[in-house]
Amino acid sequence: MKAESQVLSRVDGWRVIVALGGLYLTLAAGWPFTPLVGERTLNEVLMISVLTAVPGLVLLYSGYRLPGSDIRPDLFATIVRWCLGSIGVMLGVLLFIEFAAELNDPIANLFILTAFASVAGLGMGTHDARARTRALNAEERRREAERYSQELERYETIVETVNDGIYVVDENDRFKLVNEAYAEMVGYDRDELIGAHASLVVEGDVDRLADEIHRDVAAGDGETDTYEGTLETASGETIEVEATVAGLPDQGDAGHDFVGVVRDVTERNERELRLERQNERLDSFASMVAHELRNPVMIGQMYCHELPADAAPEAVDHVTESFDRIEDMIEAMLVVTQGSEAVSESTSVPLADAARSAWEKVDAPDATLEVLVDGTIRADETYVAHLFRNLFENAVDHGGADVAITVGELPTGFYVEDDGPGIPADDRETVFEVGYTTEASHGGMGLGLAFVDELAGVYEWTCAVTDSDVGGARFEFTNVRDS
C-alpha cells in the first residue's frame, strides 16, 4: 500500500480518475461494434452502453472538477485508491459468482457493475479525502496556533526584557500595548495607559506629530523613522525622548497599528548641551588668549629688530624666530577657533611665491623644495603662507632633515608631497584633529594640520591625504578657486 501511495503521489490523482472515466466511455461507445455483441437485441446493446457510459461521465466530470475542490491535492491518491479498490472488489465478486454459479451475461455485468463500483468508490473516496483534509487542516491550524503562541510568548519576553520603552498604538493613536519599561518611564500603570490617547503622555501638538508619523510610515516601504519629542510623566515632569516608529501589518477591519521603541535621551541631550557650551567657552577663551597675545608679540618683534645683531647674532635670530613662531601659532589658533571669521578678504595669491616665502622660514638646510606650480588662487596671502609652512615643517618633522618636498599642480588645485615614510591609512582622518601630534616631546601642540584642514574648510576646498609616488605623504587640495 505504501509503494502504491508513492506511485500515485507522483501522478496527478485527478488525471487517473479522468482517464478511468474516459475508459468506460470508450467501452460504452466501442463495444457495440465488436463481436462481443453476439445475438443481443438493439435495446439490450443500448441499455448496456448507457449504463456503462453514465458512470464514465460521472468519473470524467468529477475528475475534471477535483482540482478546484476543497480536498488537498496530496489526498487525490486516496480517491483513486477507493475507485480502483471498488473495481477490484466488484471483479472479485463477479469471479466468485462465475465459479459458484454460472454468471448470466458476463460482459454486461463486467461493464455495468465495475462502472458503478468505480462511482461508489469515487463517492467513498471523496468522503474519506474530505474527512482527512479537515483533520489535516485542523492539525495544521493547531500547530500554527501553538507556534504562534510560542512566538508570541517569545516576543513578549523580549519586549519585557529590553530596557527601552515599547508601545503599540492604533490608527487613532490610542495605546494597545505598552511594556513595563514604558510604563515606568511615564509613571503610569499599564491599565491606565491601555486605551488612553497618546496625548496623555506626549507633550505638544500630538495630532501634527501623529500625521507626520502616519505619512512617513505609509511612504517608507517598511522602513523605520526616528523622531524626537517630549513626554510628560504622571508626576508632571518632562523627559526628552527619541522614538523609532514603524507600521505593523494591516489587520483589515482592525485598522493599521504602529509600534514604537522609546529611549530617554534627557541625560544625553543635557550632556551634549554641556559639551557644546564648554566648547564655546574654550573657543572664546582661545580667541581671547590669541588676541591678547598679539600685542605683546608685535611689541617683542619690533624690539627684536632694534637689537644689535653683531653683539649676539644667534640669540637675536632665535628670539626673532620664536616671536615669528608665536605669531604663526596665534594665527593658527584663530583660524581653528573662529573659522571664516578670522580670515580677511581674499586677494590674488601666486602659489609659487607663497610656497617659496614659507620655505625661507623653515629651518631645514639639508631639505629640498621643488615648486612645480605657477598659478594664482583667491585667498589670504598670510594664511596660505602659514598653510605651506605647516605642511613643510610637518614633512621635515616626519621625513627627516634631508626630506625632498614638492609643490605641484592639480586640475582644480594643488598638492604638497614628500618622500618621507607617509601617513598610515588609519591615521589620515585623525591627523587633522586638534591636539593630535606625534611631536609632543618636542613642543608640538597638534595645531598645524588642524589649521590646514580648517583653512581648507573656510575656503571650501577639498583636502585629502594620500600617498605620494615614492610612498611619502601627499596633501591634495582640490576645488580651489583661482583668480
Side-chain angles (χ1 to χ4, degrees), residues 82-161:
W82 274 99
C83 289
L84 297 179
S86 298
I87 294 174
V89 171
M90 183 55 66
L91 287 173
V93 171
L94 291 175
L95 286 174
F96 176 76
I97 295 173
E98 178 66 24
F99 286 113
E102 187 176 348
L103 188 64
N104 183 29
D105 199 351
I107 297 299
N109 283 295
L110 180 65
F111 286 2
I112 295 171
L113 293 179
T114 57
F116 277 98
S118 66
V119 172
L122 175 68
M124 290 184 290
T126 301
H127 179 76
D128 185 22
R130 279 204 170 92
R132 293 191 183 190
T133 296
R134 288 193 293 271
L136 290 173
N137 289 345
E139 178 65 17
E140 288 183 354
R141 286 194 295 271
R142 184 186 65 80
R143 291 178 179 176
E144 182 66 21
E146 289 181 355
R147 188 190 66 81
Y148 178 78
S149 177
Q150 292 172 354
E151 288 293 319
L152 183 61
E153 183 178 353
R154 178 169 173 265
Y155 286 121
E156 285 179 349
T157 302
I158 295 174
V159 167
E160 293 301 331
T161 302

Side-chain angles (χ1 to χ4, degrees), residues 206-391:
V206 179
D207 292 335
R208 182 195 59 78
L209 179 60
D211 290 341
E212 180 184 353
I213 293 174
H214 293 182
R215 284 195 306 269
D216 292 345
V217 171
D221 297 328
E223 297 290 335
T224 59
D225 293 284
T226 302
Y227 306 87
E228 291 187 357
T230 304
L231 298 182
E232 183 176 354
T233 66
S235 61
E237 299 179 0
T238 58
I239 56 175
E240 297 177 6
V241 296
E242 185 179 79
T244 302
V245 183
L248 293 175
D250 197 356
Q251 304 179 74
D253 296 338
H256 201 81
D257 294 342
F258 300 86
V259 59
V261 180
V262 183
R263 176 170 296 177
D264 186 346
V265 294
T266 305
E267 292 185 4
R268 186 196 71 183
N269 290 349
E270 290 176 352
R271 186 167 58 252
E272 290 177 351
L273 183 60
R274 287 196 301 270
L275 183 60
E276 183 179 347
R277 289 173 178 171
Q278 182 180 0
N279 288 338
E280 289 177 355
R281 288 195 297 269
L282 288 174
D283 289 346
S284 177
F285 176 75
S287 298
M288 180 189 70
V289 170
H291 283 294
E292 290 296 324
L293 286 174
R294 264 186 161 170
N295 284 336
V297 167
M298 290 176 62
I299 294 172
Q301 288 175 320
M302 290 171 57
Y303 280 103
C304 279
H305 293 304
E306 297 182 5
L307 292 175
D310 54 350
E314 284 191 25
V316 173
D317 288 342
H318 282 308
V319 172
T320 303
E321 172 62 21
S322 297
F323 276 117
D324 290 343
R325 196 68 188 128
I326 293 173
E327 183 183 18
D328 289 344
M329 292 170 60
I330 292 173
E331 297 288 353
M333 188 181 297
L334 287 173
V335 170
V336 170
T337 57
Q338 295 184 352
S340 59
E341 296 179 5
V343 179
S344 60
E345 185 176 351
S346 298
T347 59
S348 179
V349 179
L351 279 174
D353 293 347
R356 293 189 180 97
S357 174
W359 182 249
E360 292 176 358
K361 297 181 180 180
V362 177
D363 184 16
D366 296 327
T368 60
L369 173 69
E370 183 177 12
V371 179
L372 303 177
V373 62
D374 59 2
T376 58
I377 62 173
R378 296 290 298 179
D380 183 288
E381 184 175 3
T382 301
Y383 284 119
V384 173
H386 287 328
L387 179 143
F388 279 125
R389 182 174 178 181
N390 282 318
L391 292 175

